[in-house]
Every structure is written in C-alpha cells, then in structure tokens.
Amino acid sequence: MIPVRGFDGARVAVLGLGRSGLSAARALRAGGAEVLVWDDNEAARAAAMAEGFAPVDLTRAGALEGAAALILSPGIPHLYPLPNPVVAAAWAVGVPVDNDIGLFFRSLATEDWEGFDSPPRVIAVTGSNGKSTTSALIHHVLSAAGRDSQLAGNIGRGVLDIDPPGEGGVVVLELSSYQTELARALTPDIAVFTNLSPDHLDRHGGPGGYFAAKRRLFAEGGPDRAIIGVDEDEGRFLANQMAEGAADDRVIRISAASKLTGPGWSVFARKGFLAEWRKGRQVASIDLRVIPGLPGAHNHQNACAAYAAARCLGIAPREIERAFHDFAGLPHRSQLVAEVGGVRFVNDSKATNAASAARALAAFGRIRWICGGLEKEGGLAELVPHLGNVAKAYVIGREAAAFALHLRDIPHEICTTMKAAVARAAAEAEPGDVVLLAPAAASFDQYDNFERRGEDFVAELDRLLEARGRAGS
C-alpha cells in the first residue's frame, strides 16, 4: 500500500466505493486521515463497513463542511453531462476534488528515495485504444528483463494498493481519460499516448474535452520522455507541442501507418516489421509477423509504444524482442481462444467502439464477424474501409436489426444472442476463416461489462466444441 501523504489528522471524503474508492480510503487511513466514505450502493457500503469504515451520507447538506478534500471514483461524473450533486456541493464550500491518481502521485516519493542510486520510475499510458495491451506489454518486457515492475491503474491493481517501489523499481500505470482529467497531480517519468478516436464524448463534453483530458498527462505532467502515437492529427499536434525541435529526442514518435524519418527518435511498424530510428538512421528492427501474441497493425502500434518505453529504460532491443515472443496477450483483446479444423476463434470483446473494431477487422483476412450491442456516439464510419475482410456478420444485441443497417451489402444474420451467433458462425466457418468477436459497441444492453461478454463468447464456444466432441465419439 502507498499511504497517502499530506492529510494526517484531516477529514477527507471518499465518494464511490468500488475498487479505486475503497483503495483510496484504505490508503488515506494509513496516512492518518479521518476518512468519510459514501456510495449509493448498499452492498458497496457494507463492504466498506466490513473494513472498519463508517459510511457518512455525503449527499446531505453540510456533510462536506470541514473536509480537506473530496476523492472521487472515476465512474462518477464531475462536470459533464452534469456534475454529481456531491461534487457541486464541494465546489460550493471550496473543498478540492481529486482522485486516487492524484493521491498516488503526491504520495509516491518518500525520504527513502534520497538513498537510492536509481530512484523508482513511473510510466503512464493513456489513449483511446491499446492502452491496456501496451501497459501489460511494458510490464511484461520489464519483468522479463529482470526489472522490478508493478502494473496498476485502470488495469491490474489500484494505484494505491501497490507496494512502495524500491531501488530501480518501475510502476506502469494504465490511465483512462476519467482518471487523467481530474487528478490534481500528474508527474510520470515517461508518458505514452497510443491514439485517439471518439469515445466517452458525453462525459467530456465532446471530442475537444476528451482530447484535453488525455493531453493533461503531458502538458501538466511534464514527463522526461513523451512517447506519442502520430497516426492521428491529435497525436501529431501533441508531439509538435511537446518537442523543442525536430531533433528533440525527449519526444519519441510512434506509428503503425507510416515510415517516420528525421533527426529525432522514432519507432514505427510497416509491413509487420518494427524499426527504431535515431538521428536519421535505423538502429534496430523486429519482425512482428511471427509473434502470436501481437496480431495486426493495432497490436504493432502497441508493440512500438512498449518498445520505446523499454528503450527509455535502457533495455536492449534483443531483450525486448525475446519478451515479445513470450507475451500471451490479454483476455478480450485479440485473444486467440481456440483453433479447430483450421478455423481460429478470436475474442476481442474490448473492441467497444468503431475504431477498435476496425483495427481488429484489419488484422485478419476472411472473417466471420460477431458484432453489435449498444451503439456509441461517433457512428460506425471507421469500419467501412475494412468490411471487405468480412465474409459474413452475425449481429447480437437488443437492437441487432438497427445495428445491421450499418453493414451495407455485406452478408449478415440477425442472431440477437451470443449463443446463436457463435453456433451460426462456427457452423458456416471454413478452414482459414477467423470467427471474430469485435462488437464495435458497448455491452450494457446484455452484459454488465465487456469482460462478461467475452467470457460468454468463450463459454458458448466451449459448449459448442464439447457437444461436437460428444457427437463425434
């Protein structure tokens, strides 16, 4: 645990008692704060009470009087589409609003660091797509190289639940826009921006607010190194703002769409090969085509970002390449779950928007595509260039028929349920096909989250294969 510093003896309110909120409450208590906790959910309050916290209804008038801060869980709106009433009350009485990420950065460094020859480092990863895989891949490379590494944030453990890093330790954080937007302290040593596509627009008041939330990690974080994906205008803008000139190698540009040249530092992937360039010449390359855990151009972009982060910490290219080969990938993110009769079954349930689903469609050839769910703002236009890879679509979700209208003239079938979609896709798949779950939509019309949707895909596939096995025996 990272005890929160600066609140010893002070009253601090925590709103939202999910993973990050309860973790923040524990860390605040460990740092000597008097912690007031609240969640509208009775079960969440009961869990807090089991750990010795006494819930205080923060929605009551005057509940925040005398509080030194309000710590907000990431799922609670603080500005758009409307501020939570407790947040508005905090503004009214001048109580600073922060989150667990802000507490982490203000509390991480201690007096012990003065005795370290190599102080701990923090790598923070943000972006629309690929940040989970990139964060996990960085952590995997560091661990394989014998570095003390911990993975936390929007993946793995809560940031305040990790162990205080020791000599040369590295903390790898995946940070969402919800987390970067509100944190009052952001001081990573290395910051990574993967890419940007429309997402969470209602929460940020539009695309400008969404990008601004990501940009805070760089503009206010002041990292020593900035690794920036430049395949969209926003990334090119950010890289231009962070660099003092073309040769400024504090900014490392990455791309999975084009060759990057110039006197600076860049890492890019073309035709399946990763290349590192510095000062106008190539210094290393890796054949990504033969790495099973990193299929497709979107994963090649993730590989470029992770490679650049590892190189910033002095890890040799060949060490990175060896670790890449051992990377198994993450559940629900281009995860190969089975290969039967020459047909691959891939779970990319995390593809919850059009941009991430487009990357999945671009990664494979002849696809039996399971898609559909709760459509997000921004539409599905980004999918259109990749629909030629789809042999047939199998549409799930309560609004499957409406979703199918976006599929133009590609063959499709309204299945509604995952069970029906898996059965039909598997029955019609031929050797060389890929049965791909990449919904291009949120899961909340049928599932609690994208993980449950992906688990259902795997469970239905397992049931189907088991039934085939019994029929064949």
Side-chain angles (χ1 to χ4, degrees), residues 337-360:
V337 294
E339 185 166 355
V340 182
V343 177
R344 288 178 288 168
F345 295 83
V346 177
N347 168 20
D348 201 350
S349 183
K350 183 61 172 66
T352 59
N353 57 39
S356 53
R359 290 177 169 88

Side-chain angles (χ1 to χ4, degrees), residues 189-192 218 222-228 239-253 263-266 278 308 312:
D189 298 284
I190 300 168
V192 180
F218 298 82
D224 296 330
R225 300 278 189 187
I227 299 166
I228 301 174
N240 182 269
Q241 283 209 314
M242 296 297 295
E244 293 296 327
D248 186 353
D249 66 1
R250 295 173 302 170
V251 176
I252 306 172
R253 293 169 173 82
W265 191 353
S266 61
R278 298 189 73 171
C312 287

Side-chain angles (χ1 to χ4, degrees), residues 258-387:
S258 59
K259 180 178 180 179
L260 303 178
T261 58
W265 191 353
S266 61
V267 181
F268 60 88
R270 291 187 72 202
K271 298 180 179 179
F273 286 88
L274 179 151
E276 177 188 3
W277 282 64
R278 298 189 73 171
K279 299 180 179 178
R281 65 184 185 89
Q282 182 174 314
V283 297
S285 68
I286 296 175
D287 185 354
L288 299 174
R289 299 171 303 171
V290 296
I291 299 177
L294 296 169
H298 62 305
N299 273 312
H300 294 175
Q301 183 185 56
N302 300 335
C304 289
Y307 177 95
R311 293 290 285 138
C312 287
L313 296 179
I315 299 177
R318 291 297 163 246
E319 283 190 272
I320 300 171
E321 182 175 8
R322 283 194 294 271
F324 279 4
H325 279 276
D326 294 335
F327 182 65
L330 291 178
H332 317 299
R333 297 162 176 87
S334 293
Q335 176 194 17
L336 178 63
V337 294
E339 185 166 355
V340 182
V343 177
R344 288 178 288 168
F345 295 83
V346 177
N347 168 20
D348 201 350
S349 183
K350 183 61 172 66
T352 59
N353 57 39
S356 53
R359 290 177 169 88
L361 293 179
F364 304 103
R366 185 177 164 85
I367 297 170
R368 303 280 173 176
W369 181 30
I370 299 176
C371 57
L374 192 63
E375 283 189 56
K376 290 189 173 183
E377 290 186 46
L380 300 175
E382 290 189 61
L383 292 168
V384 174
H386 308 288
L387 292 179

Side-chain angles (χ1 to χ4, degrees), residues 87-355:
V87 174
W91 295 345
V93 295
V95 174
V97 181
D98 203 350
N99 62 13
D100 62 328
I101 304 302
L103 297 180
F104 168 84
F105 277 111
R106 70 178 284 167
S107 306
L108 182 63
T110 66
E111 293 81 1
D112 296 340
W113 288 26
E114 296 178 5
F116 291 159
D117 292 329
S118 177
R121 310 285 292 279
V122 177
I123 302 173
V125 181
T126 195
S128 295
N129 300 300
K131 55 185 180 292
S132 295
T133 297
T134 297
S135 301
L137 185 55
I138 293 170
H139 172 63
H140 174 78
V141 171
L142 294 175
S143 299
R147 301 292 184 92
D148 178 15
S149 175
Q150 298 182 78
L151 180 63
N154 207 40
I155 186 175
R157 302 160 69 187
V159 292
L160 294 168
D161 281 337
I162 68 171
D163 301 322
E167 173 92 26
V170 182
V171 179
V172 183
L173 302 180
E174 178 197 337
L175 299 181
S176 71
S177 57
Y178 294 0
Q179 294 169 310
T180 58
E181 183 177 45
L182 190 60
R184 297 173 73 90
L186 283 170
T187 54
D189 298 284
I190 300 168
V192 180
F193 175 86
T194 57
N195 50 61
L196 197 82
S197 60
D199 209 355
H200 309 304
L201 300 187
D202 60 334
R203 179 66 181 266
H204 297 292
Y210 178 51
F211 176 53
K214 303 287 189 184
R215 182 179 173 275
R216 287 192 76 240
L217 184 64
F218 298 82
E220 299 187 33
D224 296 330
R225 300 278 189 187
I227 299 166
I228 301 174
V230 294
D231 289 339
E232 296 89 26
D233 284 341
E234 290 85 357
R236 290 187 280 272
F237 169 83
L238 181 59
N240 182 269
Q241 283 209 314
M242 296 297 295
E244 293 296 327
D248 186 353
D249 66 1
R250 295 173 302 170
V251 176
I252 306 172
R253 293 169 173 82
I254 63 169
S255 174
S258 59
K259 180 178 180 179
L260 303 178
T261 58
W265 191 353
S266 61
V267 181
F268 60 88
R270 291 187 72 202
K271 298 180 179 179
F273 286 88
L274 179 151
E276 177 188 3
W277 282 64
R278 298 189 73 171
K279 299 180 179 178
R281 65 184 185 89
Q282 182 174 314
V283 297
S285 68
I286 296 175
D287 185 354
L288 299 174
R289 299 171 303 171
V290 296
I291 299 177
L294 296 169
H298 62 305
N299 273 312
H300 294 175
Q301 183 185 56
N302 300 335
C304 289
Y307 177 95
R311 293 290 285 138
C312 287
L313 296 179
I315 299 177
R318 291 297 163 246
E319 283 190 272
I320 300 171
E321 182 175 8
R322 283 194 294 271
F324 279 4
H325 279 276
D326 294 335
F327 182 65
L330 291 178
H332 317 299
R333 297 162 176 87
S334 293
Q335 176 194 17
L336 178 63
V337 294
E339 185 166 355
V340 182
V343 177
R344 288 178 288 168
F345 295 83
V346 177
N347 168 20
D348 201 350
S349 183
K350 183 61 172 66
T352 59
N353 57 39

